[in-house]
Amino acid sequence: YATAASTASATRFPTALPSTPTTKLRPAPSTIDVYIDMSRRARSAPKVNVSPSVRLGLESIIEGNETAIRAMLSLGSDKVVVEGLIDCMGVNSLSAEMLIANYFSASMLGAYCRERIGKSDKGGAATLAERIAREWAKPSFAPLPAPADSKKRKEPQPPVEDAAAKRAAALAEVAAKRAKQAAQKQASSPTAPAAEPKEKEVVGQREEE
């Protein structure tokens, strides 16, 4: 009976753990694995069919900005830039307006509006992108000739901004507007001049003393 009990106890509660783990941890993907996965996504993404006017617009915005756009999209020297932009639209399901609003800087879009489509360069990236996309959507779109010094001048580099910086700037702008509104409200409040008679009363008391 004692032998059977000890055997059952040893069966239920093993005294030694297995030398090798029963589960295997999956190794973290390497940089090469991530690059291969992104390449597969680009190859499997549906090809975007852009109209001739939009393609012409993309080609015209590349002129004078090719180096900056290649760096922005991490394109190799053997990749046609306009095809890289169209592939980016397909991978991320973007329209032409969304593409240039999200990936191009406001300074680059402003210069394009002023020099290539003869429109105002005022506004942020979203406003300028909407203005440009409206022109590109016209079947008769034809960009203005590029300035003669466009190849000589230094290409504008897109500013490096992350989501946290954009949120912080937006919050700061909202806080400044609220502070300005509060100051205007306090200045126009009818209770503000109420303190003046009290000051005069104090001055009169001091004269009597």
Side-chain angles (χ1 to χ4, degrees):
Y1 177 79
T3 304
S6 60
T7 303
S9 176
T11 303
R12 292 180 183 176
F13 306 101
T15 56
L17 295 175
S19 57
T20 57
T22 56
T23 58
K24 293 182 179 180
L25 297 177
R26 185 178 180 181
S30 63
T31 306
I32 297 176
D33 295 332
V34 173
Y35 178 78
I36 292 174
D37 181 64
M38 292 178 64
S39 301
R40 287 174 179 170
R41 281 185 60 201
R43 287 196 300 268
S44 61
K47 190 71 175 179
V48 178
N49 293 321
V50 297
S51 64
S53 60
V54 171
R55 187 181 184 91
L56 180 60
L58 292 173
E59 291 174 348
S60 63
I61 202 172
I62 291 169
E63 293 181 41
N65 300 311
E66 183 174 347
T67 302
I69 296 173
R70 281 189 182 277
M72 179 176 61
L73 297 179
S74 301
L75 296 178
S77 58
D78 57 337
K79 180 74 173 180
V80 180
V81 181
V82 68
E83 295 298 334
L85 291 174
I86 294 174
D87 289 345
C88 183
M89 293 170 61
V91 171
N92 299 286
S93 301
L94 299 175
S95 63
E97 178 182 343
M98 294 168 64
L99 172 75
I100 58 178
N102 285 280
Y103 288 90
F104 288 66
S105 65
S107 60
M108 190 184 296
L109 297 178
Y112 179 82
C113 283
R114 182 178 62 253
E115 298 173 358
R116 304 306 304 275
I117 62 176
K119 297 295 182 180
S120 171
D121 59 356
K122 305 298 182 183
T127 302
L128 294 168
E130 181 184 4
R131 193 172 300 152
I132 293 169
R134 193 183 306 122
E135 296 299 314
W136 288 359
K138 299 176 181 178
S140 59
F141 169 75
L144 299 173
D149 60 342
S150 61
K151 294 184 179 180
K152 296 180 181 179
R153 72 187 178 203
K154 187 177 180 182
E155 295 181 1
Q157 298 295 328
V160 179
E161 298 180 357
D162 56 0
K166 289 183 178 180
R167 285 196 299 268
L171 290 174
E173 185 178 355
V174 171
K177 287 182 179 179
R178 289 181 178 176
K180 185 177 180 180
Q181 292 174 354
Q184 291 175 349
K185 185 177 181 180
Q186 185 176 4
S188 61
S189 176
T191 59
E196 186 177 351
K198 195 174 286 187
E199 293 180 358
K200 291 182 178 180
E201 183 179 351
V202 172
V203 173
Q205 291 177 357
R206 288 180 180 177
E207 290 178 354
E208 291 177 0
E209 291 176 356

